[in-house]
């Protein structure tokens, strides 16, 4: 099939490459000419493991190209995918302006009988709204508007696309659903379950799925706090509950809270849409609040320990919101570092992939290409992203580079015993006496509560 991809970010570029790998012909367009020029030159603006090689291969085979005009991109397409951004508004609701503008742009030029497919994560009811926009633009509704939410995870995006847990396709009529299903026939043959449904159901599956996954993270983080106060270890507790097949082990790693370009925005959008519909989702509302508080609380604790030891320099290991990506959007690492800066601490930073974001809060943070350089003269080191590089750190060398010996392992990457042996005062997450609160403090609190 001939596919047009509007938007060449993480989702657009990965989806375009993978659809070309499935044998389709894909034209990509982005409103950002510099991004498009870089892609055309083979210099991908994002890092995703394995993407650059596969992108080069499908391009060499003539199945993927970049196109500078919307019209040329969509004029002979069977399907036009929208993979543009859906950022949050101040109240948390989705800002659909990129989706609506892109829909207006392409609607003028799409062939009659083609399908406009919304890949971006949108609020329930968006496809219905887009049908009105398209009809207004064309004077009639002679193209279909469908929903095909994306579930890929940055860092494993290609594998997620090619071996999905499910493919969700939403449309108003059976003919559109059949054509969409055809697009993914190879994946279905390889065992991917396909859900054919309404656009409203498809839209809601995505927001509800992300909210549920974020709830798992929020839950285990609250359990981690209890572990620190009660002498338990959240790693073992998570393993014990995760082996229950009804629960499953995924998203049960305690840490600094969820972040990234999806969970914070999607939970807020889900909660805002539910509020507007008069059916608030109190669990998700509370989750969002607790997640924000968690990152602030961790930064406060790091600052207190650093200051109490007479120090003011923190070495921060990690910027990306998770390992395997260079994406720092809504990264817990960036939130914690900004909060440390706001408390007047000096921050020296390292990340194997991510660049220093230009956020106001990151002003004055210095970036180093070597973690041991970043640790030079630091009073405290904090591990913020779960890169394997940090699991493999030479702890003796790290400690020797520093002035102080405080180590906050917000991802539980290290064996506490190894860190202690290297001379660190180790604090992990939900790891009993080695947790964020010392046993002494925990004892005091328990006594006060009794
Ligand atoms: P992104 O910001 O990386 O990319 C969006 C791209 O769209 C940008 O390059 C932008 O220039 C382009 N764009 C915006 N308006 C345009 C227009 N009118 N015409 C042409 N190009 C336009 O975003 P992303 O991370 O790829 O996410 C895209 C969507 O997919 C979002 O709704 C997101 O929530 C959803 N999603 C993201 C992920 C993820 O892991 N990143 C996973 C699943 C779903």
């Amino acid at each position: 099939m001939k596919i047009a991809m509007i938007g060449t970010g993480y989702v657009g570029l990965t989806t375009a490459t993978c659809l070309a790998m499935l044998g389709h012909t894909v034209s990509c367009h982005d409103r950002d000419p510099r991004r498009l020029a870089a892609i055309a030159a083979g210099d991908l603006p994002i890092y995703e493991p394995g993407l650059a090689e596969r992108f080069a291969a499908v391009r060499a085979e003539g199945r993927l190209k970049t196109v500078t005009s919307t019209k040329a991109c969509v004029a002979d397409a069977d399907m036009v995918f929208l993979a543009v951004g859906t950022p949050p508004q101040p109240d948390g609701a989705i800002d659909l302006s990129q989706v609506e503008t892109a829909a207006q742009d392409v609607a003028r030029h799409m062939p009659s009988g083609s399908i406009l497919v919304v890949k971006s994560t949108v609020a329930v009811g968006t496809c219905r709204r887009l049908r009105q926009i398209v009809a207004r633009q064309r004077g009639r509704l002679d193209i279909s508007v469908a929903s095909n939410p994306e579930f890929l995870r940055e860092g494993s995006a290609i594998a997620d696309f090619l071996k999905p847990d499910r493919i969700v396709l939403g449309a108003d009529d059976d003919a559109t659903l059949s054509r969409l299903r055809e697009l993914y026939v190879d994946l279905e043959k390889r065992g991917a379950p396909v859900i054919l449904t309404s656009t409203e159901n498809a839209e809601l599956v995505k927001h509800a799925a992300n909210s549920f996954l974020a709830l798992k993270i929020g839950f285990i983080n609250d359990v981690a706090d209890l572990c620190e106060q009660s002498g338990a270890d959240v790693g073992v507790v998570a393993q014990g509950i995760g082996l229950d097949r009804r629960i499953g082990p995924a998203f049960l790693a305690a840490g600094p809270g969820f972040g990234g370009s999806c969970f914070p925005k999607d939970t807020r959008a889900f909660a805002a849409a539910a509020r507007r519909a008069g059916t608030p989702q109190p669990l998700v509302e509370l989750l969002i609040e607790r997640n924000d508080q968690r990152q602030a609380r961790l930064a406060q604790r790091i600052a207190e320990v650093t200051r109490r030891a007479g120090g003011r320099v923190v070495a921060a290991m990690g910027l990306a919101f998770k390992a395997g990506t260079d994406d720092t959007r809504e990264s817990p690492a960036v939130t914690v570092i900004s909060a440390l800066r706001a408390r007047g601490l000096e921050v020296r930073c390292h990340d194997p992939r991510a660049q220093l974001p230009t956020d106001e809060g990151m002003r004055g943070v210095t970036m180093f290409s070597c973690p041991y350089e970043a640790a030079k003269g630091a009073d405290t080191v904090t591990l913020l992203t779960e890169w394997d590089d940090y699991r493999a750190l030479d702890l003796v060398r790290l400690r020797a580079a520093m002035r102080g010996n405080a180590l906050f392992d917000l991802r539980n990457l290290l064996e506490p015993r190894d860190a202690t042996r290297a001379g660190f005062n180790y604090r992990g997450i939900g790891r009993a006496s080695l947790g964020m609160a010392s046993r002494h403090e925990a004892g005091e609190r328990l006594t006060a509560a009794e």
Side-chain angles (χ1 to χ4, degrees):
M1 281 187 212
K2 287 185 184 159
I3 308 295
M5 184 63 62
I6 307 297
T8 56
Y10 282 91
V11 169
L13 212 46
T14 309
T15 308
T17 304
C18 290
L19 286 174
M21 286 165 66
L22 293 180
H24 303 293
T25 311
V26 188
S27 300
C28 301
H29 172 71
D30 200 289
R31 68 172 177 187
D32 178 348
R34 272 189 306 181
R35 171 174 281 257
L36 209 55
I39 295 169
D43 179 17
L44 301 193
I46 56 163
Y47 170 72
E48 179 61 38
L51 183 62
E53 301 86 304
R54 286 171 174 95
F55 174 85
V58 289
R59 215 161 66 133
E61 288 161 12
R63 285 209 300 277
L64 188 151
K65 63 177 179 188
T66 54
V67 181
T68 50
S69 93
T70 316
K71 185 177 175 184
C73 184
V74 308
D76 65 346
D78 299 307
M79 294 182 192
V80 176
F81 277 74
L82 298 185
V84 300
T86 47
Q89 297 179 35
D91 71 346
I94 282 191
D95 174 356
L96 286 171
S97 59
Q98 290 185 38
V99 173
E100 292 181 357
T101 307
Q104 259 164 12
D105 285 352
V106 297
R108 260 182 275 160
H109 309 297
M110 285 173 65
S112 183
S114 57
I115 307 174
L116 179 62
V117 188
V118 180
K119 250 282 161 232
S120 301
T121 302
V122 294
V124 59
T126 300
C127 284
R128 210 183 314 140
R129 200 172 141 83
L130 291 186
R131 281 185 201 111
Q132 292 167 359
I133 291 176
V134 166
R136 216 176 305 132
Q137 199 69 33
R138 296 174 70 87
R140 61 194 186 288
L141 189 60
D142 62 340
I143 61 177
S144 308
V145 178
S147 166
N148 173 209
E150 185 50 63
F151 300 98
L152 61 77
R153 295 161 301 171
E154 290 175 21
S156 55
I158 291 172
D160 289 345
F161 185 97
L162 296 174
K163 215 172 174 309
D165 288 341
R166 75 298 208 190
I167 295 168
V168 179
L169 304 171
D172 255 4
D173 59 279
D174 289 344
T176 304
L177 286 173
S178 301
R179 283 165 67 201
L180 281 168
R181 188 175 195 169
E182 222 175 285
L183 184 73
Y184 293 111
V185 70
D186 285 354
L187 300 186
E188 195 176 356
K189 275 189 199 152
R190 282 184 237 153
V194 175
I195 295 180
L196 302 176
T197 187
S198 68
T199 49
E200 286 81 3
N201 284 344
E203 289 164 340
L204 208 45
V205 165
K206 173 67 190 177
H207 265 163
N210 271 4
S211 297
F212 188 78
L213 292 172
L215 276 166
K216 274 186 98 175
I217 298 173
F219 178 78
I220 202 66
N221 282 336
D222 281 347
V223 172
D225 290 350
L226 175 59
C227 288
E228 284 171 23
Q229 303 299 335
S230 51
D233 184 324
V234 73
V236 181
V237 176
Q239 186 189 19
I241 60 177
L243 282 171
D244 185 325
R245 266 173 297 177
R246 294 167 303 174
I247 297 173
F251 291 86
L252 287 181
F258 58 81
S261 67
C262 290
F263 282 0
K265 134 178 125 55
D266 292 351
T267 47
R268 278 183 229 132
F270 181 65
R275 270 197 311 274
R276 282 184 185 183
T279 51
Q281 301 289 317
L283 287 180
V284 178
E285 301 272 7
L286 189 59
L287 167 77
I288 296 164
E289 194 185 316
R290 289 204 48 79
N291 197 60
D292 291 347
Q293 286 167 354
R294 180 168 189 80
Q295 288 162 16
R297 203 153 39 84
L298 289 173
Q300 183 187 346
R301 183 85 185 114
I302 294 166
E304 275 170 13
V305 167
T306 307
R307 292 255 190 243
R308 206 184 302 146
R312 56 178 298 276
V313 183
V314 177
M317 303 297 169
L319 278 171
F321 83 92
K322 65 174 183 178
T325 179
D326 60 352
D327 195 344
T328 57
R329 290 178 287 181
E330 298 230 27
S331 168
V334 174
T335 310
V336 169
I337 293 170
S338 303
L340 293 173
R341 288 291 300 141
R343 289 170 177 277
L345 292 164
E346 189 185 317
V347 181
R348 297 163 65 87
C349 189
H350 170 268
D351 188 287
R353 286 280 173 193
Q355 310 280 322
L356 202 58
T358 50
D359 309 23
E360 184 62 25
M362 298 297 280
R363 264 212 176 155
V365 175
T366 37
M367 190 78 188
F368 296 86
S369 56
C370 161
Y372 304 101
E373 272 301 307
K376 219 174 198 173
D379 303 291
T380 298
V381 63
T382 175
L383 308 183
L384 292 161
T385 307
E386 71 278 31
W387 289 108
D388 280 341
D389 308 46
Y390 301 148
R391 285 191 181 91
L393 279 169
D394 176 340
L395 295 178
V396 173
R397 185 175 165 199
L398 190 73
R399 169 72 188 89
M402 292 171 59
R403 183 169 57 188
N405 73 343
L407 194 163
F408 284 85
D409 182 2
L410 304 194
R411 299 285 188 167
N412 287 347
L413 299 180
L414 304 178
E415 271 304 321
R417 212 176 309 138
D418 295 345
T420 310
R421 213 177 286 138
F424 281 106
N425 187 359
Y426 177 90
R427 294 169 178 86
I429 297 278
R431 289 181 143 177
S433 59
L434 295 160
M436 298 296 295
S438 71
R439 185 139 225 165
H440 175 64
E441 286 165 327
E444 273 179 1
R445 239 169 283 167
L446 280 180
T447 315
E450 275 158 10

